[in-house]
Amino acid sequence: MADGTVPERTSDGRGGGRGGILLLALGMFAIGTDLFIVADLLPSIAGDLGLSTAAAGQTVTVFALTYAIAAPVLAGLTSSVGRRPLLATVLVVFAAGNALSALAPSYPVLLLGRVVAGAGAALYSSTASALAAGITAPERRGRALSVVYAGMTTAIALGVPLGGLIGRSSSWRWAFGFVVLLSLVTLAGLRSCLPPVPGPGGTGARRRAAALRVRRAPSALLTTVCWTVGTFVVYTYLGALLDRSGHVGTAARPWLLLLFGVGSFTGVLAGGRLADRVDPRRGLAGALALLAVVLAALTPALRSTAGTAAVLTLWGFVHWSCFPLVQHRLLTIGGEHGGMLLALNNSAVYLGQTLAGALGGLLAGTGRLGALPWAGAGSEVLALVVLVAGAVGWTRGGGRKVRGGRREGRGAVDGPGGGPGGGPVDSGAGAVAQGR
């Protein structure tokens, strides 16, 4: 849940079984396709609706901004609703938003469709991982959660190229229709594959506020924001960058996006293994430094299809390898608030995407598309600076050593009202971060 609460699993310990987990992953596949597909469709959307590239790019911005705001708010408002009817309603809203996007006769209607879809995506994503933990036996929760997250990276590898191919062979509107179809297929399987699971209820808003007062949590979340800006300020306008370069043919783009997705899928798995073996701060620092170099290398790489393919593959790998490292670090410093910090991290990701869309739109609108890779590299350097500054302050603040050479934060909350630090982390959230 967005409030970090994992529902109780069903009495048989198996819940909805493998079918339910795969169904949740399919929903994440639909959301990932919807989120990432727009980058390849921006030129078509702009041409069809008579928009500038910068204006078309704001469709990504409003989706991400809606997600960042709606995830914690809607989760709190729906905390008492049963998870199965909630997911059914959310998928209907998400499908409706994409249908509205597909049929939009004008720019304002398209933006409205992206807002509706963003709200549906926010609540689905914040519910699916915790529900996967709740319907799975404890010894299998890590694997179940990894399957759900794999739905997102599989969307990058398969959903986005397929949707882009649909958009180019017919219209960008049919690409959004493809997302509607994925949503409806997921919706159709809800009743048969998912057991009834009650909502957690509770005081989500107070728990979120307490988590934000954990020492080093703000700097850790700021690192996430900067890291996200670095990739998405470039990725959002990737189609326009490829057009500008003039060296990459339209026919090659589905394969290039497939390579980015393959890199992303393998990167998230590699990042999980790395996070189990090294101090997550050091691993993340190295990954951020490498990511800055990769983004800077994109400019010369765009001069050839082979160079573009190599850098896009490496870019997807390095960016997504950061994800489990970020999660491990949040659990390490969060103590008993670790699960809540993971939930807040989701909003930080989409806040970063919002800022990336705005910054990219500003550069594109002033004729500086070529500066986007450098802006991305600079954002990754800034993320590295924030990470190092937070880690130095954390060490001086008296983090204590644990096995494997890591330091574990006390999870202490500054000021009155905070609970004791160092308590157990939510089992579902912890399994997500550790990739068990």
Side-chain angles (χ1 to χ4, degrees):
M1 303 308 152
D3 64 356
T5 305
V6 176
E8 294 296 326
R9 63 187 172 97
T10 52
S11 58
D12 64 357
R14 293 176 289 108
R18 186 173 180 82
I21 301 302
L22 292 176
L23 186 67
L24 293 173
L26 178 61
M28 291 298 291
F29 179 80
I31 289 171
T33 301
D34 188 35
L35 172 62
F36 292 104
I37 199 174
V38 178
D40 192 37
L41 300 176
L42 277 186
S44 299
I45 294 173
D48 190 28
L49 297 179
L51 305 172
S52 66
T53 300
Q58 298 316 301
T59 58
V60 177
T61 303
V62 297
F63 183 98
L65 180 60
T66 301
Y67 190 112
I69 296 173
V73 173
L74 293 180
L77 293 175
T78 60
S79 62
S80 299
V81 180
R83 301 295 94 177
R84 190 168 66 184
L86 175 62
L87 282 178
T89 303
V90 165
L91 285 169
V92 169
V93 171
F94 179 67
N98 277 280
L100 186 59
S101 301
L103 300 172
S106 63
Y107 184 51
V109 177
L110 177 60
L111 291 180
L112 177 60
R114 304 318 295 147
V115 168
V116 175
L123 196 49
Y124 184 92
S125 297
S126 64
T127 304
S129 60
L131 181 56
I135 64 175
T136 307
E139 65 274 11
R140 296 182 177 271
R141 281 179 177 171
R143 277 171 283 182
L145 290 163
S146 67
V147 170
V148 173
Y149 275 103
M152 179 70 75
T153 53
T154 304
I156 303 172
L158 299 178
V160 173
L162 180 57
L165 182 62
I166 292 171
R168 283 185 298 277
S169 62
S170 53
S171 167
W172 59 269
R173 298 178 185 276
W174 284 106
F176 285 120
F178 172 59
V179 177
V180 173
L181 177 62
L182 291 174
S183 307
L184 295 180
V185 170
T186 306
L187 177 63
L190 277 175
R191 183 169 295 277
S192 60
C193 292
L194 288 180
V197 178
T203 56
R206 287 198 295 272
R207 294 184 63 196
R208 282 189 289 273
L212 282 173
R213 294 197 300 271
V214 171
R215 295 191 187 102
R216 311 308 164 200
S219 65
L221 294 174
L222 181 57
T223 299
T224 294
V225 171
C226 296
W227 161 64
T228 306
V229 169
T231 278
F232 282 91
V233 74
V234 186
Y235 190 88
T236 302
Y237 296 90
L238 183 58
L241 279 171
L242 294 175
D243 282 344
R244 179 181 179 274
S245 73
H247 297 288
V248 180
T250 302
R253 292 187 186 180
W255 300 107
L256 292 174
L257 291 175
L258 175 62
L259 289 175
F260 181 89
V262 170
S264 302
F265 183 80
T266 55
V268 76
L269 297 179
R273 289 180 176 272
L274 182 63
D276 286 335
R277 289 167 170 76
V278 303
D279 184 326
R281 292 171 295 164
R282 295 179 181 177
L284 182 57
L288 289 173
L290 180 56
L291 185 55
V293 173
V294 171
L295 288 171
L298 182 61
T299 296
L302 288 172
R303 296 172 185 167
S304 70
T305 301
T308 302
V311 171
L312 285 183
T313 305
L314 186 58
W315 178 15
F317 180 89
V318 179
H319 173 81
W320 281 94
S321 71
C322 293
F323 186 68
L325 292 165
V326 167
Q327 290 186 313
H328 268 255
R329 181 167 184 253
L330 290 170
L331 284 172
T332 302
I333 68 176
E336 66 178 6
H337 298 288
M340 184 60 60
L341 287 181
L342 292 183
L344 290 170
N345 191 61
N346 287 336
S347 289
V349 166
Y350 282 88
L351 175 60
Q353 291 183 20
T354 302
L355 296 175
L359 176 59
L362 177 63
L363 292 173
T366 55
R368 300 178 180 177
L369 270 174
L372 291 176
W374 293 105
S379 295
E380 300 303 344
V381 172
L382 182 58
L384 180 59
V385 170
V386 174
L387 172 66
V388 172
V392 169
W394 177 25
T395 302
R396 291 176 179 173
R400 58 187 175 86
K401 204 115 183 213
V402 294
R403 71 179 184 274
R406 299 182 185 180
R407 286 184 182 272
E408 181 182 48
R410 300 173 188 270
V413 176
D414 298 326
V425 176
D426 178 286
S427 59
V432 174
Q434 298 176 16
R436 289 192 294 266

